[in-house]
Amino acid sequence: MVNKSNIEKFCFYACFGGNGYTLRNLDYSISFEENLKKYFIEIDSLFEREVESILNQEISKVREAKYILNLIVNGNHKYSDISKKMIDAFNNGNVSYFLNKLVELDLIQKVITINNNNVKSEQYY
């Protein structure tokens, strides 16, 4: 990669990050675009399964996030209600992860209330 321009180096890093296996198996005698076509896009390419795996992970995250948003819109604001329905629907106990990501993206708001008995309650809007 020594002979690559700064822009090409940036493209390689932005696309492939620090994945050593991927970086070792690329062909630096061809362009960044040619590497994408040869190793990721073509049928039966070296990294075809990796791309499919990453896409499936991202699609499932989107699906679960959309499900949580739908729950909240339909009046399920308590963490316990959202969690139970997520586990029932997806058999997934990663509810906190998705809720925190949605809060970080400013798509929902987390409200913590304390009742008269000093019991804390998390709700999402």
Side-chain angles (χ1 to χ4, degrees):
M1 181 147 35
V2 176
N3 297 332
K4 297 292 180 191
S5 71
N6 286 339
I7 290 175
E8 278 192 303
K9 288 178 184 177
F10 176 79
C11 289
F12 276 100
Y13 182 78
C15 187
F16 307 118
N19 185 327
Y21 178 75
T22 303
L23 293 172
R24 280 191 306 275
N25 285 288
L26 296 174
D27 181 356
Y28 296 105
S29 67
I30 61 177
S31 72
F32 169 76
E33 291 83 8
E34 290 172 302
N35 270 287
L36 281 178
K37 290 175 190 171
K38 181 176 179 180
Y39 293 113
F40 290 89
I41 297 173
E42 291 179 1
I43 303 290
D44 297 325
S45 63
L46 181 61
F47 299 113
E48 179 182 21
R49 295 278 184 251
E50 184 175 346
V51 171
E52 289 173 359
S53 174
I54 291 169
L55 285 173
N56 284 332
Q57 290 172 10
E58 293 304 315
I59 288 168
S60 72
K61 288 178 188 176
V62 169
R63 183 186 61 177
E64 291 165 334
K66 284 174 66 176
Y67 186 79
I68 288 174
L69 289 171
N70 191 40
L71 288 174
I72 292 170
V73 166
N74 287 307
N76 297 282
H77 301 289
K78 292 183 180 178
Y79 175 86
S80 58
D81 294 340
I82 296 168
S83 178
K84 181 180 179 344
K85 290 182 180 180
M86 277 290 290
I87 291 170
D88 291 346
F90 295 102
N91 197 24
N92 186 340
N94 238 358
V95 179
S96 292
Y97 169 81
F98 292 109
L99 288 169
N100 288 335
K101 286 294 178 190
L102 291 170
V103 168
E104 284 177 25
L105 294 170
D106 288 328
L107 294 173
I108 62 174
Q109 179 181 17
K110 178 179 180 178
V111 176
I112 300 174
T113 57
I114 300 176
N115 67 14
N116 293 337
N117 298 326
N118 286 332
V119 176
K120 186 169 79 169
S121 171
E122 295 178 0
Q123 294 189 357
Y124 297 87
Y125 295 92

